Amino acid sequence: MSSEGMTAAPGPGSVGDVLRFPDGFAWGAATASYQIEGAVHEGGRSPSIWDTFAHTPGKVQNGDTGDVADDHYHRYREDVGLLADLGVTHYRFSLAWPRLQPGGRGGLNHDGVDFYSRLVDELLGRGIQPWVTLYHWDLPQVLEDSGGWPVRDTAERFAEYAAAVHDRLSDRIRHWTTLNEPWCSAFLGYANGHHAPGRTEPGAALAAAHHLMLGHGLAVQAMRSQDASSTLGITLNLYPVDPASDAPADADAARRVDAVSNRIFLDPLLRGRYPEDLRRDVAEISNMAFVAGGDEKVINAPLDVLGVNYYTRHVVRASGARQPTSTRASAWVGSADVQSVDRGLPKTEMGWEIDPQGLYDVLERVQREYGPIPLYITENGAAFADELGPDGTVADPQRVAYLDDHFRVARRAIDDGIDLRGYFVWTLIDNFEWAWGFSKRFGLVYVDYETQRRIPKDSARWFAGVTRRNGLATAV
Ligand code: IFM
């Protein structure tokens, strides 16, 4: 057996060898419906909040929309071929609620079910396991018109939608994620307004966060009762939040941001109660009366896996000039006075500092404070200013270095006993990066938006080597 086939894992840093991941480790790539599908008027799909938002002047860079995006709706077979070339074992994608249940309630739309059914069959035919997310931000506009996530009924609607879809597709889909990054849905959507639906109402954002959590819990209950063998989870975007100095005010700023970014989700999900300090921090904005008796128990429904999306670390300080929080459009509700500190580290095109150790810190914290629970990195990746070269290739050494560094950290976490089971790269192909439109390229595969031609970047070939070896070569 070659060294690449060995099951005993050499220690990190072994020379002339391969740093292997455990047998059965899941390697994947991730996408989301509105970012890639296009075909917004086809197959009976109704408008989502992102259609409305993107078509509102000034909301998205260059006036870009997801109307066509990567035209994945029509090119899904080609895209599954790209996944097969990467050698991934899993593909994480999201289901568009307005495609499956255009009215936001009631029966499912046949054409929507048919599209995802064909996609799933194509994946399974190539030996790739589908890993679906039920909600990656594209709320049917009709539900926003009835109040959106700040109203309790939306949680009920989500559970109904989840149960109906799970009932139809769980024969072939084993991995179900309820929500992707509820922090973004709640706080970018309803607090600072950078995302759809673009509202700037801090109290409504807190209610949205709770109803997202409640919808998650109700959906888990419903899916579990339909088929106890489905693997159920949720994906959170987690950040280490560190104080910029030893000053007590900075420590308190870090505590507050951690509460309203990380613990607001981790605590009810995994401990069955919201943090007391969070309730105090937001008291001037909301008494959180929307949390009804029994809700936290529902949210605490047992999970099979926790998905972690990791991009960077926040280092924060208290500005000292505390503003009336209820009038500020800050995503950190109750902490509008807190500022991020630039540490001068290299950044991606998103302006996010590159900090692989933060990935370790997030995983270690979850396991230490909330575990044990099987963990998957459901997103990690980077945008860089990729260009198609005259020779027809896309050289992206920065992305290769970024991923290599983060994969090594993940491997170290496994060595240290963290129950990490898989890693999904964000993202398969360049796509609609929300308020940034098509200006940010995160893909392993370059997309020429004029022609929809897909061109695997150097990082795609590199990643295919990782999946083939189930490990990293010691030299990048
Ligand atoms: O593109 C997004 C994705 O939809 C959710 N997580 C972060 C990615 C990069 O911003």
Side-chain angles (χ1 to χ4, degrees):
M1 184 182 276
S2 73
S3 59
E4 292 187 10
M6 286 165 47
T7 49
S14 350
V15 176
D17 209 338
V18 172
L19 187 60
R20 277 181 54 89
F21 281 69
D23 288 344
F25 192 78
W27 289 107
T31 63
S33 47
Y34 189 72
Q35 295 183 269
I36 64 168
E37 284 182 6
V40 293
H41 302 300
E42 292 181 50
R45 180 187 180 278
S46 69
S48 76
I49 54 174
W50 269 97
D51 296 282
T52 307
F53 189 77
H55 280 274
T56 305
K59 297 297 186 189
V60 175
Q61 194 164 325
N62 301 320
D64 291 342
T65 74
D67 288 3
V68 177
D70 291 328
D71 196 28
H72 170 79
Y73 185 77
H74 299 113
R75 297 167 194 262
Y76 71 91
R77 283 200 180 83
E78 180 183 356
D79 293 339
V80 173
L82 294 170
L83 288 161
D85 291 345
L86 290 176
V88 293
T89 57
H90 291 69
Y91 173 47
R92 173 177 180 254
F93 60 99
S94 77
L95 308 176
W97 188 349
R99 206 179 275 297
L100 284 161
Q101 197 187 40
R105 63 184 69 232
L108 296 183
N109 168 33
H110 171 268
D111 287 356
V113 175
D114 182 58
F115 169 65
Y116 292 113
S117 187
R118 284 183 281 123
L119 171 59
V120 167
D121 285 344
E122 191 72 19
L123 288 165
L124 293 173
R126 306 293 295 253
I128 300 167
Q129 285 298 316
W131 180 296
V132 298
T133 303
L134 283 155
Y135 184 72
H136 196 127
W137 308 353
D138 39 3
L139 184 71
Q141 180 63 43
V142 66
L143 292 183
E144 176 59 27
D145 295 343
S146 308
W149 285 110
V151 303
R152 192 174 179 91
D153 184 60
T154 305
E156 308 273 354
R157 300 279 65 75
F158 176 70
E160 179 192 70
Y161 151 71
V165 178
H166 182 260
D167 188 47
R168 292 289 284 276
L169 295 174
S170 63
D171 58 334
R172 283 160 294 149
I173 301 175
R174 306 309 303 145
H175 303 279
W176 293 81
T177 300
T178 53
L179 308 173
N180 176 71
E181 301 182 355
W183 184 85
C184 297
S185 299
F187 295 103
L188 301 183
Y190 294 93
N192 77 1
H194 288 183
H195 278 188
R199 289 164 57 181
T200 50
E201 304 160 39
L206 291 166
H210 176 62
H211 295 134
L212 283 151
M213 286 292 87
L214 182 62
H216 156 84
L218 293 169
V220 166
Q221 280 183 348
M223 292 190 287
R224 189 79 77 195
S225 69
Q226 286 174 338
D227 182 352
S229 70
S230 289
T231 300
L232 306 180
I234 186 170
T235 276
L236 303 177
N237 52 319
L238 301 176
Y239 303 87
V241 185
D242 294 345
S245 77
D246 293 338
D250 287 350
D252 191 60
R255 179 197 60 72
R256 285 184 279 141
V257 170
D258 180 51
V260 81
S261 306
N262 298 322
R263 290 185 285 120
I264 188 173
F265 300 111
L266 288 168
D267 279 26
L269 283 167
L270 299 170
R271 291 185 176 155
R273 60 182 183 277
Y274 283 104
E276 281 306 320
D277 61 327
L278 171 77
R279 287 179 180 268
R280 285 194 299 275
D281 294 341
V282 302
E284 284 178 26
I285 296 162
S286 170
N287 61 8
M288 291 182 60
F290 43 74
V291 183
D295 283 3
E296 287 159 301
K297 190 165 171 13
V298 172
I299 297 167
N300 189 213
L303 291 179
D304 301 311
V305 299
L306 178 68
V308 174
N309 292 357
Y310 174 75
Y311 289 95
T312 193
R313 179 193 304 270
H314 291 313
V315 177
V316 299
R317 70 167 161 243
S319 71
R322 191 161 182 125
Q323 304 284 332
T325 47
S326 56
T327 58
R328 293 271 309 265
S330 168
W332 290 333
V333 169
S335 294
D337 61 303
V338 178
Q339 295 175 343
S340 280
V341 172
D342 185 333
R343 290 173 293 161
L345 297 178
K347 297 184 175 80
T348 69
E349 275 289 292
M350 298 297 285
W352 299 341
E353 289 185 334
I354 300 173
D355 187 340
Q357 178 62 31
L359 174 62
Y360 185 99
D361 294 349
V362 157
L363 299 174
E364 190 276 331
R365 188 256 182 114
V366 169
Q367 179 149 311
R368 177 170 38 81
E369 293 187 17
Y370 299 91
I373 183 166
L375 299 172
Y376 286 79
I377 297 164
T378 39
E379 285 182 27
N380 173 246
F384 291 110
D386 305 316
E387 287 179 12
L388 184 57
D391 61 352
T393 68
V394 180
D396 58 343
Q398 289 172 292
R399 182 170 293 100
V400 171
Y402 178 101
L403 291 173
D404 188 84
D405 287 346
H406 286 76
F407 288 178
R408 275 169 211 279
V409 164
R411 179 63 175 70
R412 179 155 53 84
I414 294 168
D415 271 353
D416 290 351
I418 291 170
D419 189 6
L420 178 65
R421 308 269 180 103
Y423 204 126
F424 293 79
V425 173
W426 185 266
T427 175
L428 173 64
I429 45 179
D430 293 338
N431 59 45
F432 178 83
E433 178 51 29
W434 308 112
W436 298 93
F438 297 103
S439 68
K440 306 294 179 204
R441 293 181 178 273
F442 273 89
L444 293 165
V445 175
Y446 183 93
V447 175
D448 175 347
Y449 292 111
E450 295 295 312
T451 63
Q452 290 292 345
R453 197 156 67 93
R454 276 84 160 124
I455 302 135
K457 302 176 189 176
D458 285 356
S459 58
R461 279 178 283 280
W462 173 84
F463 184 47
V466 174
T467 65
R468 190 176 60 249
R469 289 186 295 264
N470 189 26
L472 299 161
T474 48
V476 180

